[in-house]
Coordinates of all heavy atoms in Angstrom, one line a residue:
G1 N 78.8 81.3 101.3 CA 78.5 82.2 100.3 C 79.3 83.5 100.4 O 80.3 83.7 99.6
E2 N 79.0 84.4 101.3 CA 79.6 85.7 101.4 C 81.1 85.5 101.8 O 81.9 86.3 101.2 CB 78.9 86.6 102.4 CG 79.5 88.0 102.5 CD 78.7 88.8 103.5 OE1 77.5 88.6 103.7 OE2 79.4 89.7 104.0
R3 N 81.4 84.6 102.6 CA 82.8 84.4 103.1 C 83.7 84.0 101.9 O 84.8 84.4 101.8 CB 82.8 83.3 104.2 CG 84.1 83.2 104.9 CD 83.9 82.2 106.0 NE 84.6 82.8 107.1 CZ 84.5 82.5 108.4 NH1 83.7 81.5 108.7 NH2 85.2 83.1 109.3
I4 N 83.1 83.1 101.0 CA 83.9 82.7 99.9 C 84.1 83.8 98.9 O 85.2 84.0 98.4 CB 83.2 81.5 99.2 CG1 83.2 80.3 100.1 CG2 83.8 81.2 97.8 CD1 82.3 79.1 99.6
L5 N 83.1 84.6 98.7 CA 83.2 85.8 97.8 C 84.2 86.8 98.4 O 85.0 87.3 97.6 CB 81.8 86.5 97.6 CG 80.8 85.7 96.8 CD1 79.5 86.5 96.8 CD2 81.3 85.5 95.4
T6 N 84.2 87.0 99.7 CA 85.2 87.8 100.3 C 86.6 87.3 100.1 O 87.5 88.1 99.7 CB 84.9 88.0 101.8 OG1 83.6 88.5 101.9 CG2 85.9 88.9 102.5
A7 N 86.8 86.0 100.3 CA 88.1 85.4 100.0 C 88.6 85.6 98.6 O 89.7 85.9 98.3 CB 88.1 83.9 100.4
I8 N 87.7 85.4 97.7 CA 88.0 85.5 96.2 C 88.4 87.0 96.0 O 89.4 87.3 95.3 CB 86.8 85.1 95.3 CG1 86.7 83.6 95.4 CG2 87.1 85.5 93.9 CD1 85.4 83.1 94.8
F9 N 87.6 87.9 96.5 CA 88.0 89.3 96.3 C 89.3 89.7 96.9 O 90.1 90.3 96.3 CB 86.9 90.2 97.0 CG 87.2 91.7 97.0 CD1 87.2 92.5 95.9 CD2 87.7 92.3 98.2 CE1 87.5 93.8 96.0 CE2 88.0 93.6 98.3 CZ 88.0 94.4 97.1
M10 N 89.6 89.2 98.1 CA 90.9 89.5 98.8 C 92.0 88.9 98.0 O 93.1 89.5 97.9 CB 90.9 88.9 100.2 CG 90.0 89.8 101.1 SD 90.5 91.5 101.3 CE 92.1 91.2 102.0
N11 N 91.8 87.7 97.4 CA 92.9 87.1 96.6 C 93.2 87.9 95.4 O 94.3 88.0 94.9 CB 92.6 85.6 96.3 CG 92.7 84.7 97.4 OD1 93.6 84.9 98.3 ND2 91.9 83.7 97.5
E12 N 92.1 88.5 94.8 CA 92.3 89.4 93.7 C 93.0 90.6 94.0 O 93.9 91.1 93.3 CB 90.9 89.7 93.0 CG 90.3 88.5 92.3 CD 88.9 88.9 91.8 OE1 88.5 90.0 91.9 OE2 88.3 87.9 91.2
V13 N 92.7 91.2 95.2 CA 93.4 92.4 95.7 C 94.9 92.0 95.9 O 95.8 92.8 95.5 CB 92.8 92.9 97.0 CG1 93.7 93.9 97.7 CG2 91.4 93.4 96.8
I14 N 95.2 90.9 96.5 CA 96.6 90.5 96.8 C 97.3 90.4 95.4 O 98.5 90.8 95.3 CB 96.7 89.2 97.6 CG1 96.3 89.6 99.0 CG2 98.1 88.7 97.6 CD1 96.0 88.3 99.9
A15 N 96.6 89.9 94.4 CA 97.3 89.7 93.1 C 97.6 91.1 92.5 O 98.5 91.2 91.7 CB 96.3 88.9 92.2
M16 N 96.8 92.1 92.9 CA 97.1 93.5 92.4 C 98.3 94.2 93.1 O 98.7 95.2 92.6 CB 95.8 94.4 92.6 CG 94.7 94.0 91.7 SD 93.2 95.0 91.9 CE 93.5 96.1 93.1
L17 N 98.7 93.7 94.2 CA 99.8 94.3 94.9 C 101.1 94.0 94.1 O 101.3 93.0 93.5 CB 100.0 93.7 96.3 CG 98.8 93.8 97.3 CD1 99.1 93.1 98.6 CD2 98.5 95.3 97.5
T18 N 102.0 95.0 94.2 CA 103.3 94.8 93.6 C 104.1 93.8 94.4 O 103.7 93.6 95.6 CB 104.1 96.2 93.6 OG1 104.4 96.5 94.9 CG2 103.3 97.3 92.9
P19 N 105.2 93.3 93.9 CA 106.0 92.3 94.6 C 106.4 92.9 96.0 O 106.4 92.3 97.0 CB 107.1 92.0 93.7 CG 106.6 92.2 92.3 CD 105.6 93.3 92.5
R20 N 106.9 94.2 96.0 CA 107.3 94.8 97.2 C 106.2 95.0 98.2 O 106.3 94.8 99.4 CB 108.0 96.1 96.9 CG 108.7 96.7 98.1 CD 109.7 95.8 98.8 NE 111.0 96.4 98.7 CZ 112.1 95.8 99.1 NH1 112.1 94.6 99.6 NH2 113.3 96.4 98.9
E21 N 105.0 95.4 97.7 CA 103.9 95.6 98.5 C 103.5 94.2 99.2 O 103.1 94.2 100.3 CB 102.7 96.1 97.8 CG 102.8 97.6 97.4 CD 101.8 98.1 96.4 OE1 101.0 97.3 95.9 OE2 101.8 99.3 96.1
R22 N 103.6 93.1 98.4 CA 103.4 91.8 99.0 C 104.4 91.5 100.1 O 104.0 90.9 101.1 CB 103.4 90.7 97.9 CG 102.1 90.5 97.2 CD 102.1 89.3 96.3 NE 101.5 89.7 95.1 CZ 102.1 89.9 93.9 NH1 103.4 89.5 93.8 NH2 101.5 90.3 92.9
E23 N 105.6 91.9 99.9 CA 106.6 91.6 101.0 C 106.2 92.4 102.3 O 106.3 91.9 103.4 CB 108.0 92.1 100.5 CG 108.6 91.2 99.5 CD 110.0 91.7 99.1 OE1 110.1 92.8 98.5 OE2 111.0 91.0 99.3
V24 N 105.8 93.7 102.1 CA 105.4 94.5 103.2 C 104.1 93.9 103.8 O 104.1 93.8 105.1 CB 105.2 96.0 102.8 CG1 104.5 96.8 103.9 CG2 106.5 96.6 102.3
A25 N 103.2 93.5 103.0 CA 102.0 92.9 103.5 C 102.2 91.6 104.3 O 101.7 91.4 105.4 CB 101.0 92.6 102.3
K26 N 103.1 90.8 103.8 CA 103.5 89.6 104.6 C 104.1 89.9 105.9 O 103.7 89.2 106.9 CB 104.5 88.7 103.7 CG 104.6 87.3 104.3 CD 105.2 86.4 103.3 CE 104.1 85.8 102.5 NZ 104.4 84.5 102.0
L27 N 104.9 90.9 106.0 CA 105.5 91.3 107.3 C 104.5 91.9 108.2 O 104.5 91.7 109.4 CB 106.7 92.3 107.0 CG 107.9 91.6 106.5 CD1 108.9 92.7 106.0 CD2 108.6 90.6 107.4
L28 N 103.5 92.6 107.6 CA 102.4 93.2 108.4 C 101.6 92.0 109.1 O 101.2 92.2 110.2 CB 101.4 94.0 107.6 CG 101.9 95.4 107.1 CD1 100.9 95.9 106.1 CD2 102.0 96.3 108.3
T29 N 101.5 90.9 108.4 CA 100.7 89.8 109.0 C 101.4 89.2 110.2 O 100.8 88.4 110.9 CB 100.3 88.7 108.0 OG1 101.5 88.1 107.5 CG2 99.6 89.3 106.8
T30 N 102.7 89.4 110.3 CA 103.5 88.9 111.4 C 103.4 89.8 112.6 O 104.0 89.4 113.7 CB 104.9 88.6 111.1 OG1 105.6 89.9 110.9 CG2 105.1 87.8 109.8
G31 N 102.8 91.0 112.5 CA 102.7 91.9 113.5 C 103.9 92.9 113.6 O 104.0 93.7 114.5
A32 N 104.7 92.8 112.5 CA 105.9 93.8 112.4 C 105.4 95.2 112.3 O 104.4 95.5 111.6 CB 106.8 93.4 111.3
G33 N 106.1 96.1 112.9 CA 105.8 97.5 112.8 C 106.6 98.1 111.7 O 107.4 97.5 111.0
G34 N 106.3 99.4 111.4 CA 107.0 100.1 110.3 C 108.5 100.1 110.3 O 109.2 99.8 109.3
R35 N 109.1 100.3 111.5 CA 110.5 100.3 111.6 C 111.1 98.9 111.4 O 112.1 98.7 110.7 CB 111.0 100.8 113.0 CG 110.9 102.2 113.2 CD 112.2 102.9 113.3 NE 112.0 104.3 113.5 CZ 112.2 105.2 112.5 NH1 112.7 104.7 111.3 NH2 112.0 106.4 112.6
Q36 N 110.4 97.9 111.9 CA 110.9 96.5 111.7 C 110.8 96.2 110.2 O 111.7 95.5 109.7 CB 110.0 95.5 112.5 CG 110.2 95.6 114.0 CD 109.1 94.8 114.7 OE1 107.9 95.0 114.6 NE2 109.5 93.8 115.5
I37 N 109.8 96.6 109.6 CA 109.6 96.3 108.2 C 110.7 97.0 107.4 O 111.4 96.4 106.5 CB 108.2 96.7 107.6 CG1 107.2 95.8 108.3 CG2 108.2 96.6 106.1 CD1 105.7 96.2 108.0
A38 N 110.9 98.3 107.7 CA 112.0 99.0 107.0 C 113.3 98.4 107.2 O 114.1 98.2 106.2 CB 112.0 100.5 107.6
N39 N 113.7 98.0 108.4 CA 115.0 97.3 108.7 C 115.0 96.0 108.0 O 116.1 95.7 107.4 CB 115.2 97.1 110.2 CG 115.4 98.4 110.9 OD1 115.8 99.4 110.3 ND2 115.2 98.4 112.2
S40 N 114.0 95.2 108.0 CA 114.0 93.9 107.4 C 114.2 93.9 105.9 O 114.8 93.1 105.3 CB 112.7 93.2 107.7 OG 112.6 91.9 107.1
L41 N 113.6 95.0 105.2 CA 113.7 95.1 103.8 C 114.7 96.1 103.3 O 114.9 96.3 102.1 CB 112.3 95.5 103.2 CG 111.1 94.5 103.5 CD1 109.8 95.1 102.9 CD2 111.4 93.2 102.9
S42 N 115.4 96.7 104.3 CA 116.5 97.7 104.0 C 115.9 98.8 103.1 O 116.5 99.2 102.1 CB 117.7 97.0 103.2 OG 118.2 96.0 104.1
I43 N 114.8 99.3 103.6 CA 114.2 100.5 103.0 C 113.9 101.5 104.1 O 113.9 101.2 105.2 CB 112.9 100.2 102.2 CG1 111.8 99.5 103.1 CG2 113.2 99.3 101.0 CD1 110.5 99.1 102.4
S44 N 113.5 102.8 103.7 CA 113.3 103.8 104.6 C 111.8 103.6 105.2 O 111.0 103.0 104.6 CB 113.4 105.2 104.0 OG 112.3 105.4 103.2
I45 N 111.6 104.2 106.4 CA 110.3 104.2 107.0 C 109.3 104.9 106.1 O 108.1 104.5 106.0 CB 110.3 104.8 108.4 CG1 109.0 104.6 109.2 CG2 110.7 106.2 108.4 CD1 108.7 103.2 109.5
R46 N 109.7 105.9 105.4 CA 108.8 106.7 104.5 C 108.4 105.7 103.4 O 107.2 105.8 102.9 CB 109.6 107.9 103.9 CG 109.8 108.9 104.9 CD 109.0 110.0 104.6 NE 109.4 111.3 104.7 CZ 108.5 112.2 105.1 NH1 107.3 111.9 105.4 NH2 108.9 113.5 105.1
T47 N 109.3 104.9 102.9 CA 108.9 104.0 101.8 C 108.0 102.9 102.3 O 107.0 102.6 101.6 CB 110.2 103.3 101.2 OG1 111.1 104.3 100.7 CG2 109.9 102.3 100.1
V48 N 108.2 102.5 103.6 CA 107.2 101.5 104.2 C 105.8 102.2 104.3 O 104.8 101.6 103.9 CB 107.7 101.1 105.6 CG1 106.6 100.3 106.3 CG2 109.0 100.3 105.5
E49 N 105.8 103.4 104.7 CA 104.5 104.1 104.8 C 103.8 104.3 103.5 O 102.6 104.1 103.4 CB 104.8 105.5 105.5 CG 105.2 105.4 106.9 CD 105.7 106.7 107.5 OE1 105.9 107.7 106.8 OE2 106.0 106.8 108.7
A50 N 104.6 104.5 102.4 CA 104.1 104.6 101.1 C 103.5 103.3 100.6 O 102.4 103.2 100.1 CB 105.1 105.1 100.1
H51 N 104.2 102.2 100.9 CA 103.7 100.9 100.6 C 102.4 100.6 101.4 O 101.5 100.0 100.8 CB 104.7 99.8 100.8 CG 105.9 99.8 99.8 ND1 105.7 99.8 98.5 CD2 107.2 99.8 100.0 CE1 106.9 99.9 97.9 NE2 107.8 99.8 98.8
C52 N 102.4 100.9 102.6 CA 101.2 100.7 103.5 C 100.0 101.5 103.0 O 98.9 101.0 102.9 CB 101.5 101.0 104.9 SG 102.6 99.8 105.7
A53 N 100.3 102.7 102.5 CA 99.2 103.5 102.0 C 98.6 102.9 100.7 O 97.4 102.9 100.5 CB 99.7 104.9 101.7
A54 N 99.5 102.4 99.9 CA 99.0 101.7 98.6 C 98.3 100.5 98.9 O 97.2 100.2 98.3 CB 100.3 101.4 97.8
I55 N 98.7 99.7 99.9 CA 98.0 98.5 100.3 C 96.6 98.8 100.9 O 95.6 98.2 100.5 CB 98.9 97.7 101.4 CG1 100.1 97.1 100.7 CG2 98.0 96.6 102.0 CD1 101.2 96.6 101.8
R56 N 96.6 99.8 101.8 CA 95.3 100.2 102.3 C 94.3 100.7 101.2 O 93.2 100.3 101.2 CB 95.5 101.4 103.3 CG 96.0 101.0 104.6 CD 95.9 102.2 105.6 NE 96.3 103.5 105.1 CZ 97.6 104.0 105.2 NH1 98.5 103.2 105.8 NH2 97.9 105.1 104.8
S57 N 94.9 101.4 100.3 CA 94.0 101.9 99.2 C 93.5 100.8 98.3 O 92.3 100.8 98.0 CB 94.9 102.9 98.3 OG 94.1 103.3 97.2
K58 N 94.3 99.9 98.0 CA 93.9 98.8 97.1 C 92.9 97.8 97.9 O 92.1 97.2 97.2 CB 95.1 97.9 96.6 CG 95.9 98.7 95.6 CD 97.2 98.0 95.2 CE 98.0 98.8 94.3 NZ 99.3 98.1 93.9
M59 N 93.0 97.8 99.2 CA 92.2 96.9 100.0 C 90.9 97.6 100.5 O 90.0 97.0 101.0 CB 92.9 96.4 101.2 CG 94.1 95.5 100.8 SD 94.9 94.8 102.3 CE 93.6 93.7 102.9
G60 N 90.9 98.9 100.3 CA 89.7 99.7 100.8 C 89.7 99.7 102.4 O 88.7 99.7 103.0
A61 N 90.9 99.6 103.0 CA 91.0 99.6 104.4 C 91.3 101.0 105.0 O 92.0 101.8 104.3 CB 92.1 98.7 104.9
A62 N 90.7 101.4 106.1 CA 90.8 102.7 106.6 C 92.2 102.9 107.3 O 92.8 103.9 107.4 CB 89.7 103.0 107.6
T63 N 92.7 101.8 107.9 CA 93.9 101.8 108.7 C 94.8 100.6 108.2 O 94.4 99.6 107.7 CB 93.7 101.7 110.2 OG1 93.2 100.4 110.5 CG2 92.8 102.8 110.7
T64 N 96.1 100.8 108.5 CA 97.1 99.7 108.2 C 96.7 98.5 109.1 O 96.8 97.4 108.6 CB 98.5 100.2 108.5 OG1 98.8 101.3 107.6 CG2 99.5 99.0 108.2
M65 N 96.3 98.7 110.3 CA 95.9 97.6 111.2 C 94.7 96.8 110.6 O 94.7 95.6 110.6 CB 95.5 98.1 112.6 CG 95.1 97.0 113.5 SD 96.4 95.8 113.9 CE 97.5 96.8 114.9
E66 N 93.7 97.5 110.1 CA 92.6 96.9 109.4 C 93.1 96.0 108.2 O 92.6 94.9 108.0 CB 91.6 97.9 109.0 CG 90.4 97.4 108.3 CD 89.4 98.5 107.8 OE1 89.5 99.6 108.2 OE2 88.6 98.1 106.9
A67 N 93.9 96.6 107.4 CA 94.5 95.9 106.3 C 95.2 94.6 106.8 O 95.1 93.6 106.2 CB 95.4 96.8 105.5
A68 N 96.0 94.8 107.8 CA 96.8 93.6 108.3 C 95.9 92.5 108.8 O 96.1 91.3 108.5 CB 97.7 94.1 109.5
V69 N 94.8 92.9 109.5 CA 93.9 91.9 110.0 C 93.2 91.1 108.8 O 93.1 89.9 108.8 CB 92.8 92.5 110.9 CG1 91.7 91.5 111.2 CG2 93.4 93.0 112.2
R70 N 92.9 91.8 107.8 CA 92.3 91.2 106.6 C 93.3 90.3 105.9 O 93.0 89.2 105.5 CB 91.8 92.3 105.6 CG 90.6 93.0 106.1 CD 90.2 94.0 105.0 NE 89.2 94.9 105.5 CZ 88.7 95.9 104.7 NH1 89.1 96.1 103.5 NH2 87.7 96.7 105.2
L71 N 94.5 90.8 105.8 CA 95.6 90.0 105.2 C 95.9 88.7 105.9 O 96.2 87.7 105.2 CB 96.9 90.9 105.1 CG 96.8 92.0 104.0 CD1 98.0 93.0 104.3 CD2 96.9 91.5 102.6
V72 N 95.9 88.8 107.2 CA 96.2 87.5 108.0 C 95.3 86.4 107.5 O 95.7 85.3 107.5 CB 96.0 87.8 109.5 CG1 95.9 86.5 110.3 CG2 97.2 88.7 110.0
R73 N 94.0 86.7 107.2 CA 93.0 85.7 106.8 C 93.3 85.1 105.5 O 92.8 84.0 105.2 CB 91.6 86.3 106.9 CG 91.2 86.8 108.2 CD 89.8 87.3 108.2 NE 89.5 87.9 109.5 CZ 88.8 89.0 109.7 NH1 88.3 89.6 108.7 NH2 88.6 89.4 111.0
V74 N 94.0 85.8 104.6 CA 94.1 85.4 103.2 C 95.5 85.2 102.6 O 95.7 84.6 101.6 CB 93.3 86.3 102.2 CG1 91.8 86.2 102.5 CG2 93.8 87.7 102.3
M75 N 96.5 85.8 103.3 CA 97.8 85.6 102.8 C 98.3 84.2 102.9 O 98.0 83.5 103.9 CB 98.8 86.5 103.6 CG 98.7 88.0 103.3 SD 99.3 88.5 101.7 CE 101.0 88.4 101.9
P76 N 99.0 83.7 101.9 CA 99.6 82.4 102.0 C 100.6 82.4 103.2 O 101.2 83.4 103.5 CB 100.3 82.1 100.7 CG 100.3 83.4 100.0 CD 99.3 84.3 100.7
D77 N 100.8 81.2 103.8 CA 101.8 81.1 104.9 C 103.2 81.4 104.3 O 103.5 81.3 103.2 CB 101.8 79.7 105.4 CG 100.5 79.4 106.2 OD1 99.9 80.3 106.7 OD2 100.2 78.2 106.3
K78 N 104.0 81.8 105.3 CA 105.4 82.2 104.9 C 106.1 80.9 104.3 O 105.8 79.8 104.7 CB 106.2 82.6 106.1 CG 105.8 84.0 106.6 CD 106.7 84.5 107.7 CE 106.2 83.9 109.0 NZ 106.8 84.4 110.2
D79 N 107.0 81.2 103.4 CA 107.7 80.1 102.7 C 108.6 79.4 103.6 O 109.2 79.9 104.5 CB 108.5 80.7 101.5 CG 107.5 81.3 100.5 OD1 106.4 81.0 100.4 OD2 108.0 82.2 99.8

């Protein structure tokens, strides 16, 4: 019941992320830190922080770590 509803909600949240936010989210699920994400995507750490803030906001997560833990459960596996 509740677990399925949570998964559906999370999939809707992921669908609301921009393509770049999804890229950042996917890297978060691997345990990558801000600098690693910035280097991997060739963007600044400030831009990573902005994407993480948007992800947290859309997910209703208090911290990036909380968002990452939730994302691990619902993000599709890496291509």
Side-chain angles (χ1 to χ4, degrees):
E2 184 177 331
R3 191 173 225 165
I4 292 169
L5 290 176
T6 301
I8 291 169
F9 171 75
M10 288 299 296
N11 286 329
E12 289 176 3
V13 169
I14 290 168
M16 290 180 357
L17 299 178
T18 67
R20 187 58 116 182
E21 289 167 356
R22 271 190 228 109
E23 288 178 298
V24 170
K26 190 164 275 210
L27 289 169
L28 284 173
T29 66
T30 69
R35 286 248 177 256
Q36 290 170 302
I37 293 170
N39 290 338
S40 180
L41 299 178
S42 300
I43 57 178
S44 74
I45 187 71
R46 292 249 219 217
T47 301
V48 171
E49 291 167 355
H51 288 311
C52 288
I55 292 165
R56 285 193 311 271
S57 175
K58 291 176 183 180
M59 295 183 69
T63 66
T64 300
M65 180 63 74
E66 180 184 344
V69 169
R70 291 181 188 179
L71 286 164
V72 165
R73 296 180 185 145
V74 294
M75 287 287 287
D77 291 335
K78 286 186 276 187
D79 300 334

